[in-house]
């Protein structure tokens, strides 16, 4: 049995290690699978929790899609499943908003932040940098368990009397601050806030760990410019997280005081349920400033890891160096910096000073430049490549397509003048579901298919992967493309039904179409889930380097060890993208191969100005001139 | 595999110290978020500006917290000289000063409420003062826990490397909390 | 003890089938117990049937997929046994699919642009909206070109360079000239868009003091879940109000008008917004409870309504309702105002009628509107004043004593 052999090597390794002065404890089930401090196990915990939360959030979206497609029909099944949240088989309007809210929250934070960054940063930072583990494995474990508790609290809100939070994932006060305004702003909102504080704590612990590991624990020879783009992306993502999440905590703390202690940070001049509240002088716009100061960088926290994974997957499978490595890194850095000064574009029509709106419009459109550079670099990487369509590669190409489609509509929304008519319409929904939702999910799936052999020592079934990709890719476009036009017709988002406005009724058929496309997309995920679970237990065993990749993680043995490498940590001699180098025998040269072993393929820039090496290379070339001339 | 344990020793402390620095950055961002929230809130509206004089208690707090930083620094120097008795003395002194600081802050709150500046005020600028100090006190408590950790490792016979490492973490964090208070106090003085 | 031996495709499907049946039974039982509660038992009996139907359908699809998978792997194996160089080339296959996706996808986008694009908002009914629409079209043309070109490149590359054992990829780590081009060109295009957008935005939001004074002043207040609209009346000023006064004057004061302000008395209450064509209107927006968003899509006008903070939006209508009916060829067409910011359970149902008419009709309509401050309110206000006076008098007496 595979797990048995895995255990064997593990204990064997520890017997060796015990000879050192470090004295390991014997691992129990609890320390190995539950409170593990091994970054690879924590990565798997994040991944599986993330996938679980993803399935939950997807199910929620199907529920509200059904309501949008069939606003007048009753589904007794819904009443059976949801009880009083769907009286007489029709969703309650407040519960509809809960579904929308929790779908957004889970997808943005629990799946695409923790599930994506948490999984792959944990897995790849030590492995691709050549470190034994994270800077603080204990904090890493805490990070996972805070996340798990936050997830549990978030899901628990479905089982309380007043239902989950329901004021949108941006929880704008006063709606979120006043339990009288809607049932979801009662206990559900309190739990939402607690869950988010725990989540932020988890993210911060994770992020701090990642940054510290990247800066301090690289192996010999791994300078910053030899890091794979995945690591650059995770590193910058973690920095963005460290700099923006605390602001969300600050905002949430003030909201908690407003909700429970009667302060007036966000509340002013409110008359609700037949009485005037004593709060005066507060400003709801303050919340929006604080929230979006996190909220916008959050978009890049979601997207950048996906872009990093894509860079790696595309280069490996196109058998080509990523085009413009330096430009890719600089554009990531550019995005990181700019992401902090664009938050105001979410607030063009909130009554913010119009001049400020103009400023934010400029910064927002500037951020499109590094994004464009990245897209063109991906295209140039594919050009004259030799592309292997592994499922990971398909998803990476899918990401590029979504990134283009969704990114282009951002040019509309970033323009304050156009935003007047597009703000809070389905155009926005279409935009961010493509560029941040679909693109980031595709990045995550790409990463899962690519590093599954590293995580579980097994291969996933490629054919099911193809089926999964094509169904998901097509359905995502079918779902989100028509939404642009609904937005252009002035249909606002978060509407329970379009029946009250005659002009919107013409979109009913489109809504039905979108719902069925969404159901197709959801069913397609069964192919993935089956493939994932099946492959963990009964998949084909993998070889050490199944994708013939150059990076360090593929130099570790297939069976996991605590400490990653059985012997010394390998030294790094070259950048991570030496694919199809002219003159080399194989079409990839691992980072661990010294330049002295690849004299036939060395290029002048490989030596980084080291004169002695250049001289040796020249001598060698003179000697071997005949061969080179052919 | 002889290399593995050695590498761990070389690596394990430096990155952890770095983690403390990163934590301080993120907690500074938290306060920066709050203070910029204050600026956005009070903005150009005169009615929303801070119209209360900061109590004198805050001046005493400032003196106390600076003194505690000095005593901790002294304890650290003594640790390096292996004068553990003096190290403990310095640490106990710091704890006493930290507790005194907290009390002084609480007294400051009492003075404020005496002036009619309550936490739940219709002018949230005043609420902000309480929020700043409250979360600063939480940081002081965290700092005190670190110092208690240092005391424990000083009484227990832990390896001196670890002892010094814990001292370094406490000292860095305590100075940070100290500077944080000065930042908040100056910020409040400039805005009152 | 090898568990995986017992688990092959067949048994997995058997298990799924069993689980499916079990779930069905469960639903059937749940349905049976639930029938007492639900009024329509016939519909309820329909549920387990429907669930069974879809589950079976899903299982069928799974089986078909599994069969195809098996056939493909058998085909691959036989090819290998026969000594053919390679089995089925999935790389080629996916490359072709990408090409197919490109063609079908571009056609789909074209179809969407023409068919669904025909369902979007008609031309702007406001003057600034025309500028917005122009901007939109410029942006749309640029982005569509980029969209099509990049997708053609992406999918054609995917097809053309799909894996070939004999070939080797071309080693080009970077090309500075090329990179410069595709950094600078987007930067220039974006600069143009930013400038255009900035000026349009400034024109819309920067309105001179004179412009503000000359506009018709209308105040819109949102609450859960309706709008209250008042016109400035003769003096064209919406009088002061205070949220603490809402509901006083015997519950008549729904907006919290401060009756000590004389400019309140001529304010008009309306049941629909009627605007004269070609005259600037300034909407002052507010909210009683939570955030709302004042959104009139046909006028390209949107602004949030924030409790405790007055916001505003000013525009000039350029097409009457009748004009627009001709344009969209729908005799029942009407403008409307809706809420675009999530505000609670009935957020989807905050409609308010809007009409644009000629100046003459407008004057006539305006003359028919009733003042917001009714006689009953004035009476109640005076009573309360009188009470206050007596109270003050009482206090004075008390003080004197």
């Amino acid at each position: 049995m595979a797990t048995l052999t895995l255990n064997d090597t593990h204990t064997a390794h520890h017997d060796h290690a015990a000879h050192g002065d470090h004295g390991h404890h014997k691992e129990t089930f609890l320390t190995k699978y539950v409170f593990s401090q091994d970054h690879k196990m924590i990565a798997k915990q994040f991944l599986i929790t993330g996938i679980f939360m993803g399935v939950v959030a997807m199910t929620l979206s199907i529920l509200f899609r059904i309501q949008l497609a069939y606003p007048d029909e009753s589904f007794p099944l819904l009443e059976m499943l949801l009880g009083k949240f769907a009286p007489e088989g029709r969703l309650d309007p407040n519960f509809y908003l809960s579904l929308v809210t929790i779908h957004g929250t889970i997808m943005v934070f629990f799946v695409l932040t923790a599930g994506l960054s948490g999984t792959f940063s944990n897995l790849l930072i030590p492995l691709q940098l050549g470190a034994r583990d994270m800077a603080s494995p204990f904090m890493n474990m805490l990070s996972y368990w805070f996340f798990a508790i936050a997830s549990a609290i978030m899901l628990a809100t479905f089982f309380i009397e007043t239902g989950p939070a329901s004021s949108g994932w941006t929880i704008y006060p006063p709606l979120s601050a006043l339990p009288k305004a809607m049932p979801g702003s009662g206990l559900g909102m309190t739990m939402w806030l607690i869950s988010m504080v725990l989540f932020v704590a988890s993210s911060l612990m994770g992020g701090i760990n990642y940054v510290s590991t990247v800066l301090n624990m690289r192996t010999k020879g791994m300078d910053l410019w030899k890091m794979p783009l995945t690591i650059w992306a995770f590193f910058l993502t973690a920095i963005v997280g460290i700099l923006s999440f605390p602001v969300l905590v600050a905002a949430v703390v003030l909201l908690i005081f407003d909700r429970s202690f009667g302060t007036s940070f966000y509340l002013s001049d409110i008359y609700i349920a037949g009485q005037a509240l004593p709060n005066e002088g507060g400003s709801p716009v303050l919340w929006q400033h604080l929230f979006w100061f996190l909220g916008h960088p959050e978009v890049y926290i979601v997207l950048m890891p996906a872009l990093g994974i894509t860079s790696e997957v595309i280069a490996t499978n196109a058998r080509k160096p990523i085009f413009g490595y330096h430009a890719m890194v600089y554009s990531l850095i550019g995005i990181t910096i700019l992401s902090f000064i664009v938050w105001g574009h979410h607030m063009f029509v909130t009554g913010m000073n119009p001049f400020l709106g103009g400023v934010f419009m400029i910064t927002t459109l500037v951020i499109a430049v590094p994004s464009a550079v990245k897209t063109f670099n991906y295209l140039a990487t594919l050009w004259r490549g030799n592309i292997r369509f592994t499922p990971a590669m398909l998803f990476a190409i899918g990401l590029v397509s979504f990134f283009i489609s969704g990114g282009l509509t951002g040019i509309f929304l970033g323009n304050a003048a156009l935003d007047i008519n597009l703000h809070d319409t389905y155009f926005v929904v279409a935009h961010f579901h493509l560029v941040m939702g679909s693109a980031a999910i595709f990045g995550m799936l790409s990463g899962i298919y690519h590093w599954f052999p590293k995580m579980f020592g097994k291969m996933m079934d490629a054919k099911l992967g193809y089926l999964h990709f094509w169904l998901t890719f097509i359905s995502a476009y079918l779902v989100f493309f028509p939404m642009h036009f609904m937005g252009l017709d002035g249909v606002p988002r978060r509407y329970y039904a379009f029946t009250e406005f005659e002009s919107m009724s013409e979109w009913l058929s489109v809504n039905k179409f979108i719902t069925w496309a969404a159901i197709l997309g959801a069913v397609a995920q069964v192919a993935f889930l089956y493939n994932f679970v099946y492959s963990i237990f009964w998949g084909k065993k993998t070889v050490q380097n199944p994708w013939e990749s150059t990076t360090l993680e593929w130099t570790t043995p297939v069976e996991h060890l605590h400490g990653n490498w059985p012997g010394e940590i390998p030294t790094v001699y070259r950048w991570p993208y030496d694919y199809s180098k002219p003159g080399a025998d194989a079409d990839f040269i691992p980072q661990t191969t010294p330049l002295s072993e690849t004299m036939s393929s060395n290029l002048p820039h490989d030596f980084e100005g080291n004169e002695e090496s250049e001289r040796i290379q020249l001598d060698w070339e003179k000697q071997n001139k005949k061969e080179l001339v052919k | 595999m002889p290399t593995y344990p050695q590498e761990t020793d070389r690596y394990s402390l430096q990155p952890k110290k770095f983690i403390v620095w990163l934590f301080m950055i993120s907690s500074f961002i938290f306060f920066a978020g709050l203070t910029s929230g204050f600026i956005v809130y009070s903005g150009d509206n005169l009615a929303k500006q801070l119209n209360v004089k900061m109590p004198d208690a805050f001046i005493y707090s400032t003196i106390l917290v600076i003194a505690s930083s000095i005593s901790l620094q002294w304890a650290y120097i003594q640790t390096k000289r292996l004068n553990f008795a003096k190290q403990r003395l310095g640490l106990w002194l710091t704890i006493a000063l930290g507790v005194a600081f907290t009390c002084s802050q609480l007294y400051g709150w009492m003075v404020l409420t005496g002036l009619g500046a309550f936490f739940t005020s219709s002018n949230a600028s005043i609420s902000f003062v309480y929020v700043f100090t409250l979360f600063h006190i939480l940081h002081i408590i965290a700092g005190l826990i670190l110092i208690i950790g240092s005391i424990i490792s000083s009484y227990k016979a832990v390896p001196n490397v670890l002892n010094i490492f814990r001292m370094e973490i406490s000292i860095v964090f305590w100075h940070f909390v100290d500077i944080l208070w000065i930042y908040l106090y100056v910020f409040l003085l400039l805005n009152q | 003890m090898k568990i995986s031996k017992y688990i092959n495709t067949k048994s997995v499907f058997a298990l799924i089938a069993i689980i499916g049946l079990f779930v069905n039974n469960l639903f059937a039982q749940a349905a049976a117990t639930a029938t007492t509660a639900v009024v329509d038992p016939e519909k309820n009996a329909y549920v387990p049937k429907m669930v069974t139907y879809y589950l079976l359908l899903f299982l069928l699809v799974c089986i078909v997929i599994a069969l195809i998978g098996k056939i493909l792997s058998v085909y691959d194996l036989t090819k290998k046994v026969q000594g053919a160089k390679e089995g089925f080339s999935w790389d080629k296959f996916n490359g072709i699919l990408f090409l197919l996706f490109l063609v079908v996808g571009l056609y789909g986008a074209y179809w969407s642009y023409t068919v669904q694009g025909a369902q979007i908002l008609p031309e702007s009914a406001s003057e600034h909206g025309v500028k917005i629409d122009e901007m939109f079209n410029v942006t749309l043309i640029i982005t569509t070109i980029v969209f099509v070109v990049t997708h053609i490149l992406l999918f054609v590359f995917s097809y053309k360079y799909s894996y070939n054992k004999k070939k080797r990829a071309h080693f080009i780590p970077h090309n500075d000239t090329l990179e410069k081009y595709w950094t600078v060109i987007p930067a220039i295009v974006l600069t143009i868009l930013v400038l255009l957008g900035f000026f349009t935005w400034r024109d819309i939001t920067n309105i001179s003091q004179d412009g503000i004074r000359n506009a018709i002043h209308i105040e819109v207040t949102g609450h859960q879940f309706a709008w209250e609209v008042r016109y400035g009346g003769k003096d064209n000023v919406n009088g002061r109000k205070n949220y603490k006064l809402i509901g006083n004057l015997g519950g008549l004061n729904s907006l919290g008008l401060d009756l000590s302000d004389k400019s309140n008395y001529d304010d008009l209450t309306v049941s629909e917004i009627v605007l004269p064509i070609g005259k600037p209107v300034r909407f002052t927006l507010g909210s009683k409870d939570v955030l709302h968003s004042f959104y009139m899509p046909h006028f390209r006008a949107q602004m949030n309504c924030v409790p405790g903070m007055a916001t505003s939006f000013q525009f000039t209508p350029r097409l009457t309702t009748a004009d627009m009916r001709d344009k969209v060829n729908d005799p029942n067409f009407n403008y409307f105002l809706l809420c675009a910011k999530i505000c609670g359970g009935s957020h989807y149902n905050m409609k308010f009628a809007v009409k644009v008419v000629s100046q003459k009709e407008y004057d006539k309509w305006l003359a028919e509107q009733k003042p917001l401050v009714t006689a009953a309110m004035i009476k109640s206000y005076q009573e309360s004043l009188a009470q206050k006076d007596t109270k003050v008098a009482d206090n004075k007496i008390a003080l004197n004593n």
Side-chain angles (χ1 to χ4, degrees), chain C residues 10 17 20 29 33 91 115 135 176 193 196 208 216 259 287 297 322 386:
Chain C
K10 239 188 266 169
Q29 278 165 10
T33 50
D91 291 317
V115 176
M135 265 243 60
D176 291 346
L193 286 177
L196 279 175
S208 65
I216 301 170
L259 289 192
S287 165

Side-chain angles (χ1 to χ4, degrees), chain A residues 446-485:
Chain A
S446 171
I448 294 173
Y449 278 105
H450 195 75
W451 281 288
F452 190 87
K454 191 77 260 160
M455 281 189 271
F456 297 100
K458 304 283 177 62
M459 300 290 282
M460 282 177 92
D461 184 62
K463 278 170 258 167
L464 266 179
Y466 298 147
L467 181 75
H468 174 217
F469 166 75
W470 282 107
L471 288 179
T472 316
F473 189 48
I474 292 168
S475 68
Y477 264 120
L478 291 183
V479 169
F480 300 119
F481 204 77
M483 284 188 187
H484 292 107
F485 299 95

Side-chain angles (χ1 to χ4, degrees), chain A residues 449-626:
Chain A
Y449 278 105
H450 195 75
W451 281 288
F452 190 87
K454 191 77 260 160
M455 281 189 271
F456 297 100
K458 304 283 177 62
M459 300 290 282
M460 282 177 92
D461 184 62
K463 278 170 258 167
L464 266 179
Y466 298 147
L467 181 75
H468 174 217
F469 166 75
W470 282 107
L471 288 179
T472 316
F473 189 48
I474 292 168
S475 68
Y477 264 120
L478 291 183
V479 169
F480 300 119
F481 204 77
M483 284 188 187
H484 292 107
F485 299 95
M486 288 167 72
L488 292 176
D489 193 31
V491 178
R493 61 196 283 211
R494 292 163 176 161
Y495 262 32
Y496 167 69
F498 295 174
T499 44
E500 307 301 320
F501 291 83
E502 249 167 64
S503 67
M504 292 179 199
S505 59
E506 64 182 354
W507 292 104
L508 202 61
S509 59
V510 177
N511 259 335
K512 271 189 197 137
F513 175 77
I514 291 177
T515 298
W516 280 103
I519 290 173
L520 171 72
V523 171
Q525 304 316 307
V526 176
F528 166 71
L529 293 174
Y530 170 78
N531 199 355
F532 185 81
V533 176
Y534 183 88
S535 304
I536 289 179
F537 295 103
W538 306 286
K540 214 174 78 190
K541 265 197 140 181
T542 176
V543 290
Q544 193 183 22
N545 189 356
W547 317 119
E548 301 184 302
S549 184
T550 56
T551 38
L552 275 186
E553 76 270 30
W554 305 106
T555 62
T556 61
V558 175
E559 262 99 31
H560 287 171
L561 328 162
H562 206 126
N564 297 336
W565 283 269
E568 211 171 318
I569 299 179
T571 309
V572 165
Y573 299 97
R574 57 178 72 232
W575 77 323
Y577 297 107
D578 268 344
Y579 290 103
S580 302
K581 215 173 178 189
D585 297 333
D587 69 349
F588 71 107
I589 310 171
Q591 281 189 283
T592 50
T593 312
L595 291 169
S596 58
E597 285 176 21
T598 56
M599 297 303 273
S600 60
S601 68
N602 290 347
L603 295 170
H605 72 250
D606 287 335
F607 301 108
E608 295 166 344
N610 185 331
E611 281 171 18
E612 201 190 336
S613 313
E614 276 171 16
R615 194 176 45 76
I616 296 172
Q617 179 74 22
L618 274 178
D619 289 349
W620 184 88
E621 274 169 21
K622 266 179 214 155
Q623 276 176 7
N624 294 271
K625 217 166 201 176
K626 275 178 203 162

Side-chain angles (χ1 to χ4, degrees), chain A residues 106-391:
Chain A
I106 292 183
M107 280 298 191
V108 171
F109 292 110
F110 292 80
V111 181
L112 293 176
T113 303
L116 177 59
S117 233
T119 305
F120 291 105
S121 297
N122 267 316
L123 179 73
L124 295 178
I125 287 178
L127 283 175
Q128 289 195 332
L129 287 179
R132 297 286 184 200
D133 207 314
M134 283 288 175
S136 167
F138 178 72
M139 233 166 86
N140 213 14
M141 178 195 78
L142 276 189
S143 161
Y144 172 73
W145 282 104
F146 270 70
F147 165 61
I149 295 167
S151 308
I153 294 177
M154 190 58 80
L155 292 182
T157 53
F158 277 97
F159 302 100
I160 60 175
E161 183 66 25
T162 47
S166 53
S167 47
W169 78 279
T170 56
I171 57 160
Y172 279 2
L175 187 59
S176 59
L178 305 172
K180 279 177 194 156
M182 68 197 312
S185 294
L187 182 60
M189 194 69 229
T190 309
M191 288 169 74
W192 192 99
L193 292 169
I194 294 170
S195 169
M196 278 319 289
V197 169
L198 291 175
F199 179 84
V200 171
S202 151
S203 282
L204 280 177
M205 281 191 278
I208 286 174
N209 234 333
Y210 307 150
V211 172
S212 179
T213 312
V214 171
L215 289 181
N216 293 301
M217 297 175 70
R218 299 187 307 274
T219 184
K220 220 166 120 198
M222 179 67 86
D223 58 51
L224 288 179
W225 291 106
K226 286 199 178 65
M227 297 199 307
L229 283 169
T230 34
I231 302 299
W232 270 109
F234 298 144
F235 173 55
L236 293 168
T237 304
I239 290 179
V240 175
I242 290 173
L243 297 182
S244 64
F245 270 120
V247 179
L248 179 69
V249 180
V252 163
V253 160
L254 299 185
L255 183 57
I256 290 173
F257 284 134
D258 267 9
R259 285 172 54 82
S260 311
F261 298 93
T263 53
S264 324
F265 293 108
Y266 306 127
L267 303 178
S268 178
D269 296 20
I270 291 163
Y271 177 86
I272 198 162
Q275 73 185 82
L277 301 185
N279 309 70
E280 272 181 286
S283 157
V285 179
L286 172 63
W287 165 269
Q288 296 171 25
H289 277 295
L290 291 174
F291 180 86
W292 284 115
F293 185 83
L294 156 90
H296 200 78
E298 169 64 27
V299 170
Y300 293 99
I301 291 175
V302 162
L303 195 57
M304 285 205 297
L307 292 175
I309 288 171
T310 308
S311 308
E312 179 70 21
V313 170
I314 285 188
T316 305
N317 289 298
R319 315 307 295 161
K320 261 190 75 180
I322 192 84
F323 190 87
Y325 172 78
H326 282 76
M328 288 301 241
V329 174
Y330 285 125
S331 60
L332 278 177
I333 295 174
I335 289 174
T336 303
I337 295 166
L338 288 170
S339 71
F340 286 104
I341 50 170
V342 298
W343 81 89
H345 67 228
H346 296 269
M347 302 168 60
F348 286 139
V349 298
T350 55
M352 188 176 64
N353 184 337
F355 174 73
L356 266 182
V359 174
F360 280 122
M361 172 166 79
I362 293 166
T363 56
T364 303
L365 293 190
V366 169
I367 210 168
V369 175
S371 309
V373 169
K374 289 198 86 73
T375 311
F376 291 128
N377 281 349
Y378 286 136
L379 292 177
T381 309
L382 291 175
W383 178 65
R384 294 184 68 183
N386 199 11
I387 304 169
R388 295 175 181 174
F389 286 113
T390 61

